[in-house]
Amino acid sequence: MFQYISYLLILIVFLVALLDVIPLIFDWFSRVRIGRYKDFQKWNECVTQKSIKWLSKTPKIKVTDNTRLVIIDRLKGNYTKSSIQHWQEGTLILGLMENYKISKDDKIKKAILQYMNVKFNSDGQWRESPTHVDSAILAYAIMKIDFIDTDKYKQALEYVWNMIQEHIGKDGTVKYRKSMDEYRYVDTIGFICPFLIAFGVRYKEEKCIDLAVKQIQEFNKYGMLNKYFIPCHAYHIKSKVPLGLYGWGRGLGWYAIGLIDSWNELPNNNKYKAILRTNVISFTSSAIAFQQGNGSWNWTVSRNESRPDSSVTAVLAWFMINAASIEGLTDKCIASEKLATSYLMSVTRRSGAIDFSQGDTKDIGMYSRLFNILPFTQGFSLRVINKHISSECTLNINHYKEFF
């Protein structure tokens, strides 16, 4: 009897160890021959196919950084979470739509329509109503789908607008979570501002536009390092004390998304266009100053010793290629984007998945030590790749012809 119990314990220990080892082996195998793409179009196709696959089954991202005894996290339900999926899915759609503008690929159209059928009922309303402001970036992505009747989903979009209003705090800006009343996160700028501008312009809701610009400008006052114009993670609305790390890479990414997409969505005659343009110019110089020689931005952009982060690199590449349309920024923005895009190609797995993005943030000042795949990065890389292709026609082609 004792012998059988011993065998059982050995088997349990083996299985527990196996749960720890299998992900490591999978990552090692997935990285064999990483970054071997030489043909830009082939790279685009592989990144696109992986994005299509992930849209129907978005990989869950680990919540913890534990790589040992992960069975404990699994049993507690702390290993992964589904609540982060809206912003992952939204960015995949944004990337796929950037590709669709050029390719008119039926596979992309089919995948997005299937996704819409899963998320929305026949009346265009959410099947499962979102509760966090993260979902606004998904609502923004839906507004960018040009082969659906967006007005059919107006009620769903209005739901997101109303939900955002429920998160407005006493200072007139939007909370990251209702339970976090005293803090304003840089993440929220990326989540809500592009949607608010696009919704406000389309449906003539000036309050939406005013709120988006206020969210950005208030963060400019209290959450930016003055000399370098880079954001901290958050600030306290009463004391105005900045919190977390100045120069957190993903934080630069969230700010960049909110700023550049909001600026893009505003009509040229809008009163806020010039204000945001000034912010774009300031942030461009700051971001380029921290770009590494290999084209990446590190997870802590101000430390050359820290690891490169593909997620911030993809987002800032998107920022640069859009900021390049501003006179005086074109040359340096295109040079920056070219370097960043080259880096992203160098960390793309054989499968088309772009690797080495920082994992899920735990709290203010508590950042992940894991770097792996992230659908968010995949979506923004796809936006950059296809914007890059279209920019060869819309911008001076001489800036691009020596790239590949």
Side-chain angles (χ1 to χ4, degrees):
M1 184 68 177
F2 178 77
Q3 187 177 20
Y4 287 121
I5 293 174
S6 298
Y7 288 152
L8 180 61
L9 289 174
I10 291 171
L11 179 62
I12 291 171
V13 170
F14 174 76
L15 291 174
V16 168
L18 199 61
L19 284 175
D20 292 349
V21 171
I22 286 176
L24 300 178
I25 294 174
F26 176 78
D27 283 340
W28 178 86
F29 181 75
S30 298
R31 288 167 178 164
V32 173
R33 297 180 64 82
I34 193 172
R36 298 298 179 92
Y37 290 96
K38 301 299 181 184
D39 181 82
F40 194 82
Q41 190 56 46
K42 179 64 176 177
W43 180 47
N44 186 20
E45 290 170 4
C46 291
V47 173
T48 300
Q49 291 308 308
K50 180 58 72 173
S51 300
I52 290 172
K53 181 178 178 181
W54 280 355
L55 184 60
S56 62
K57 190 176 181 181
T58 309
K60 290 182 172 60
I61 306 305
K62 283 184 64 178
V63 176
T64 71
D65 280 3
N66 294 337
T67 57
R68 297 179 180 178
L69 297 177
V70 297
I71 190 172
I72 296 174
D73 290 323
R74 289 179 182 273
L75 292 173
K76 289 181 176 180
N78 293 332
Y79 190 68
T80 61
K81 63 180 179 181
S82 59
S83 62
I84 63 172
Q85 297 305 299
H86 276 151
W87 58 273
Q88 306 274 17
E89 294 164 351
T91 50
L92 284 173
I93 291 174
L94 287 170
L96 288 169
M97 282 308 304
E98 202 67 35
N99 180 297
Y100 186 80
K101 288 179 188 177
I102 301 170
S103 67
K104 304 300 179 185
D105 188 342
D106 285 339
K107 291 179 182 177
I108 293 176
K109 184 175 183 178
K110 181 180 178 181
I112 291 177
L113 290 176
Q114 286 177 341
Y115 175 87
M116 296 295 288
N117 288 334
V118 170
K119 294 294 179 180
F120 299 91
N121 61 29
S122 58
D123 296 324
Q125 188 54 277
W126 298 95
R127 292 187 186 275
E128 183 177 347
S129 299
T131 56
H132 298 314
V133 297
D134 312 35
S135 59
I137 198 169
L138 173 57
Y140 174 60
I142 289 165
M143 295 187 72
K144 306 297 283 185
I145 304 173
D146 61 11
F147 50 75
I148 64 171
D149 178 10
T150 308
D151 289 339
K152 174 184 175 181
Y153 301 92
K154 185 181 178 183
Q155 279 189 314
L157 299 175
E158 285 177 335
Y159 175 89
V160 174
W161 163 226
N162 291 331
M163 184 259 292
I164 289 173
Q165 290 181 89
E166 292 172 1
H167 283 74
I168 296 176
K170 62 191 77 173
D171 65 333
T173 61
V174 179
K175 312 170 193 176
Y176 176 67
R177 296 286 185 267
K178 288 183 178 179
S179 59
M180 299 172 180
D181 188 51
E182 305 296 326
Y183 305 103
R184 295 297 175 266
Y185 287 67
V186 69
D187 314 46
T188 310
I189 293 173
F191 286 144
I192 69 169
C193 292
F195 165 74
L196 288 173
I197 298 288
F199 184 87
V201 170
R202 184 181 181 94
Y203 296 109
K204 296 179 173 53
E205 288 278 359
E206 289 297 324
K207 289 192 302 182
C208 289
I209 300 172
D210 293 341
L211 179 60
V213 174
K214 181 171 184 175
Q215 194 80 18
I216 294 170
Q217 296 307 311
E218 288 294 294
F219 208 94
N220 287 347
K221 287 181 186 177
Y222 307 115
M224 303 295 281
L225 189 58
N226 291 335
K227 182 179 177 180
Y228 297 101
F229 203 68
I230 55 174
C232 61
H233 195 152
Y235 67 88
H236 195 281
I237 63 169
K238 288 184 178 178
S239 66
K240 311 303 182 188
V241 172
L243 305 165
L245 182 68
Y246 275 115
W248 169 46
R250 188 82 59 76
L252 266 74
W254 288 126
Y255 181 83
I257 296 167
L259 178 58
I260 201 67
D261 279 82
S262 294
W263 178 71
N264 276 338
E265 295 294 338
L266 281 175
N268 288 331
N269 61 355
N270 187 277
K271 61 183 178 180
Y272 295 124
K273 189 76 171 183
I275 295 172
L276 294 190
R277 182 179 183 274
T278 301
N279 295 156
V280 169
I281 293 170
S282 297
F283 186 72
T284 297
S285 298
S286 297
I288 288 176
F290 292 106
Q291 189 173 17
Q292 299 296 305
N294 65 0
S296 71
W297 279 267
N298 292 344
W299 84 263
T300 304
V301 299
S302 55
R303 288 199 67 208
N304 295 333
E305 301 86 352
S306 61
R307 291 188 61 167
D309 179 2
S310 296
S311 69
V312 61
T313 303
V315 172
L316 291 184
W318 171 255
F319 179 92
M320 294 301 167
I321 201 169
N322 284 278
S325 64
I326 297 177
E327 186 178 354
L329 298 184
T330 303
D331 288 347
K332 63 181 180 179
C333 283
I334 288 177
S336 174
E337 180 267 324
K338 287 196 299 184
L339 276 174
T341 304
S342 180
Y343 172 79
L344 293 170
M345 181 182 278
S346 75
V347 294
T348 304
R349 296 179 179 182
R350 302 186 315 278
S351 65
I354 294 169
D355 209 341
F356 302 121
S357 294
Q358 188 176 37
D360 191 43
T361 307
K362 314 301 180 272
D363 200 350
I364 297 173
M366 298 175 63
Y367 308 105
S368 178
R369 294 175 285 105
L370 300 182
F371 290 76
N372 211 293
I373 59 171
L374 193 70
F376 171 82
T377 304
Q378 198 79 8
F380 265 92
S381 296
L382 202 53
R383 290 185 96 182
V384 174
I385 293 167
N386 288 279
K387 180 75 171 179
H388 181 105
I389 293 170
S390 63
S391 293
E392 291 180 345
C393 300
T394 57
L395 290 175
N396 186 348
I397 196 167
N398 291 325
H399 290 289
Y400 283 94
K401 65 182 181 181
E402 297 179 356
F403 187 16
F404 289 103

